[in-house]
Amino acid sequence: MDEQKYNLKESLTELDKLFDLSTKETDKTACEALAKKAKIIYEQYPESEDIALRYAMALVNLSVEQVNVEELLNTVNSVKEIFERFKQSEDIALQYAKTLVNLSVEQVNIEERKNTTNLLKEIFEQFNQSEDIALHYAMALVNLSVEQLNVEERKNTANLVKEIFEQFQHSEDIALRYTKTLVNLSAKQVNVEERKNTANLVKEIFEQFQHSEDIALRYTKTLVNLSAKQVNVEERKNTANLVKEIFEQFQHSEDIALRYTKTLVNLSAKQVNVEERKNTANLVKEIFEQFQ
């Protein structure tokens, strides 16, 4: 069939095929070709929201494969143009949010990440009841916090994610993003009490989502950061035991096992008794034997 003769129904069917192909495709050049085909159909029916949405979705899949910031920016701007035409469409707004998150991942300049995050903030403020858009705003804030060097900036970013989480308290995905910003915050905190408070915030989230291995991992990461600042051997031992409890719940997790060994290493650094150090070394040996 000549694509120039597609009617609206046929165009939607063809776009669905193109989207499915782009979802499975991992080659950037192939994704670009599929996006171009989708654009041709979109330009034939520029007033159709359904077609615009499918074109935007194809562009999201393209953005996943792009690592060049300039190329990503061009894709983002293409989705932005679609969104500006259909400003009341939450579905298209979500696709725009997705491309912005993908862009922020590749941006190395903190100001660029900040600007991208602010664009997501604007979308979220327009669709503040959308959990999906809220999640992508939270994801961009996590990306921003990674690049922030100042502890106060990281704290402010964590508080922004906290506000989102308080609105969607049942969302495990948003909870995970909150814990990620808290891990990033704890890494910059120099005061042991501040690190302890941050670890306790992650503990509260973990207690709400006890089955979540990802959140459990973030709790162990804050505990590792805490133990690094503790000067008392008993405090380090207590912290190591907290990580041990988490590891016993997720015994198959190599990542959590690694954090347990790190707290044990931190503990051994403070132990002055050779037998105590030997016992600690044996605990690490047991974990190593499990993950050889």
Side-chain angles (χ1 to χ4, degrees), residues 152-166:
E152 284 304 312
E153 289 178 344
R154 287 198 178 188
K155 189 175 182 179
N156 291 338
T157 301
N159 285 336
L160 289 173
V161 185
K162 179 184 179 182
E163 289 175 12
I164 301 169
F165 173 58
E166 287 175 344

Side-chain angles (χ1 to χ4, degrees), residues 262-273:
K262 285 187 174 184
T263 56
L264 290 171
V265 170
N266 290 344
L267 171 61
S268 69
K270 289 292 179 183
Q271 290 173 319
V272 292
N273 182 291

Side-chain angles (χ1 to χ4, degrees), residues 217-250:
L217 173 60
R218 269 70 201 182
Y219 182 30
T220 63
K221 285 184 175 184
T222 57
L223 289 170
V224 171
N225 292 343
L226 172 61
S227 72
K229 288 293 178 182
Q230 290 174 319
V231 293
N232 183 289
V233 68
E234 284 304 312
E235 290 177 343
R236 288 198 178 190
K237 188 175 182 179
N238 291 338
T239 301
N241 284 335
L242 288 174
V243 183
K244 179 184 178 182
E245 290 175 14
I246 301 166
F247 173 58
E248 287 174 344
Q249 183 178 341
F250 302 96

Side-chain angles (χ1 to χ4, degrees), residues 156-180:
N156 291 338
T157 301
N159 285 336
L160 289 173
V161 185
K162 179 184 179 182
E163 289 175 12
I164 301 169
F165 173 58
E166 287 175 344
Q167 185 176 341
F168 301 96
Q169 291 188 24
H170 62 278
S171 170
E172 187 175 313
D173 288 331
I174 292 173
L176 174 60
R177 271 67 196 187
Y178 181 30
T179 62
K180 286 184 176 184

Side-chain angles (χ1 to χ4, degrees), residues 15-273:
L15 279 170
D16 284 336
K17 290 179 184 176
L18 292 172
F19 171 70
D20 287 341
L21 287 170
S22 67
T23 301
K24 298 168 187 172
E25 188 58 68
T26 56
D27 179 74
K28 181 174 74 73
T29 303
C31 282
E32 286 173 344
L34 292 167
K36 284 179 181 177
K37 289 181 180 179
K39 182 181 180 182
I40 291 169
I41 299 173
Y42 167 66
E43 287 175 343
Q44 291 175 4
Y45 297 94
E47 303 307 318
S48 170
E49 187 174 317
D50 287 334
I51 283 180
L53 173 60
R54 285 159 176 80
Y55 175 38
M57 291 165 69
L59 289 170
V60 170
N61 288 344
L62 171 60
S63 73
V64 171
E65 303 305 325
Q66 293 174 316
V67 293
N68 181 285
V69 171
E70 286 304 311
E71 289 180 346
L72 266 167
L73 195 57
N74 289 337
T75 302
V76 167
N77 286 334
S78 293
V79 183
K80 180 183 178 182
E81 289 175 13
I82 301 168
F83 173 59
E84 286 177 344
R85 178 171 286 182
F86 301 95
K87 284 190 172 180
Q88 300 311 308
S89 171
E90 186 175 311
D91 289 331
I92 292 174
L94 176 59
Q95 309 314 311
Y96 182 30
K98 287 180 178 181
T99 56
L100 287 169
V101 170
N102 293 342
L103 173 63
S104 73
V105 170
E106 300 299 335
Q107 290 173 318
V108 292
N109 182 291
I110 190 169
E111 284 304 313
E112 290 178 347
R113 283 200 181 188
K114 192 173 182 179
N115 291 338
T116 300
T117 304
N118 285 336
L119 290 173
L120 272 154
K121 180 184 178 182
E122 290 174 13
I123 300 169
F124 174 60
E125 286 175 345
Q126 182 178 342
F127 300 95
N128 56 24
Q129 299 306 309
S130 169
E131 187 175 315
D132 285 333
I133 291 174
L135 171 61
H136 285 84
Y137 177 33
M139 290 166 75
L141 287 167
V142 173
N143 294 342
L144 175 62
S145 73
V146 170
E147 295 297 326
Q148 291 174 318
L149 303 176
N150 182 287
V151 69
E152 284 304 312
E153 289 178 344
R154 287 198 178 188
K155 189 175 182 179
N156 291 338
T157 301
N159 285 336
L160 289 173
V161 185
K162 179 184 179 182
E163 289 175 12
I164 301 169
F165 173 58
E166 287 175 344
Q167 185 176 341
F168 301 96
Q169 291 188 24
H170 62 278
S171 170
E172 187 175 313
D173 288 331
I174 292 173
L176 174 60
R177 271 67 196 187
Y178 181 30
T179 62
K180 286 184 176 184
T181 56
L182 290 172
V183 171
N184 293 343
L185 171 62
S186 72
K188 288 293 179 184
Q189 291 173 318
V190 293
N191 182 289
V192 68
E193 283 304 312
E194 290 177 345
R195 286 198 178 190
K196 189 174 182 179
N197 292 338
T198 301
N200 284 336
L201 289 174
V202 182
K203 179 185 178 182
E204 289 175 13
I205 301 167
F206 173 58
E207 287 173 345
Q208 183 178 341
F209 301 96
Q210 290 186 23
H211 63 282
S212 170
E213 187 175 315
D214 286 330
I215 290 174
L217 173 60
R218 269 70 201 182
Y219 182 30
T220 63
K221 285 184 175 184
T222 57
L223 289 170
V224 171
N225 292 343
L226 172 61
S227 72
K229 288 293 178 182
Q230 290 174 319
V231 293
N232 183 289
V233 68
E234 284 304 312
E235 290 177 343
R236 288 198 178 190
K237 188 175 182 179
N238 291 338
T239 301
N241 284 335
L242 288 174
V243 183
K244 179 184 178 182
E245 290 175 14
I246 301 166
F247 173 58
E248 287 174 344
Q249 183 178 341
F250 302 96
Q251 291 188 25
H252 62 280
S253 170
E254 190 172 321
D255 287 329
I256 291 174
L258 173 61
R259 271 68 200 185
Y260 181 30
T261 62
K262 285 187 174 184
T263 56
L264 290 171
V265 170
N266 290 344
L267 171 61
S268 69
K270 289 292 179 183
Q271 290 173 319
V272 292
N273 182 291

